[in-house]
Amino acid sequence: MWVNNQRNKGTTIREERKKRLESIGFTWKLRATPISVDWEVRFQELVDCKQVHGNCDVSQGYKANKALGIWVTTQRTKEETIREEKKKRLDSIGFTWKVRDHISVPWEFRFQQLVDYKRVHGNCNVSQGYKPNKALGIWVKTQRKNKEAMSDKRRKKLNSIGFAWKFLETWGVRFQQRVEYKRIHAMYHAIAKRICN
């Protein structure tokens, strides 16, 4: 996510940071922009999907049409900025703007997942984009947000494992992580190249 944020800043990124990123071979554009599929086409695909499945809850990993899943997720992120006419059309077919897990996961279950995460990573700083368990990242953010309303028992449990109530990542920390990623990736690439040759 940090890498994409840097790409999206484009010309607004500070020159010094731009040079540092370029010094490690940062790629500003991943690929040519794909041809944009008309909003109407995706909307009609969603209508068709609802007729088959009975709802508009298309996940990003929807195997029958991954592009539709990505489009649905994008519409949800634009809820506040989408044009009113499009919002009304999505509402008219029962579009779900906020998606929650269909099965409520107990607090203790997520807490144990956080304990396991800390054992592996050494901290409780699970980002929302943590690919192996995005729900855990969202849960961690929710705990931070609800600190004042939380029971003392839960707050003490989180404190007992070193829970960080404020998750601050500086640009420099993320840059160092990117440098390390590039170093490791280059090492594996060199090994694979030797094996294949």
Side-chain angles (χ1 to χ4, degrees), residues 46-155:
L46 183 60
V47 170
D48 296 343
C49 186
K50 182 180 181 178
Q51 288 175 344
V52 172
H53 300 286
N55 62 56
C56 297
D57 296 336
V58 181
S59 72
Q60 250 184 310
Y62 181 50
K63 289 182 181 173
N65 187 343
K66 285 190 177 192
L68 177 60
I70 293 167
W71 181 85
V72 166
T73 300
T74 302
Q75 301 316 298
R76 287 187 177 118
T77 63
K78 293 179 176 180
E79 181 182 7
E80 301 300 319
T81 59
I82 194 169
R83 284 190 289 168
E84 191 60 32
E85 66 204 45
K86 289 180 177 179
K87 189 172 191 315
K88 284 180 181 175
R89 290 187 64 204
L90 288 166
D91 288 339
S92 76
I93 62 168
F95 187 77
T96 308
W97 292 98
K98 304 267 188 261
V99 179
R100 302 211 180 267
D101 292 335
H102 293 292
I103 302 168
S104 181
V105 176
W107 191 91
E108 291 295 331
F109 178 79
R110 290 282 186 238
F111 177 77
Q112 189 54 54
Q113 287 183 323
L114 182 59
V115 169
D116 295 341
Y117 178 93
K118 183 176 182 181
R119 189 177 355 218
V120 172
H121 300 280
N123 62 58
C124 298
N125 294 330
V126 186
S127 73
Q128 287 184 78
Y130 178 55
K131 289 192 180 192
N133 189 346
K134 287 185 179 184
L136 178 60
I138 293 167
W139 182 85
V140 165
K141 181 183 178 187
T142 302
Q143 302 318 296
R144 289 185 178 116
K145 185 178 170 187
N146 296 335
K147 179 183 180 184
E148 299 307 316
M150 184 182 295
S151 71
D152 285 340
K153 181 181 176 184
R154 287 183 176 177
R155 198 174 310 118

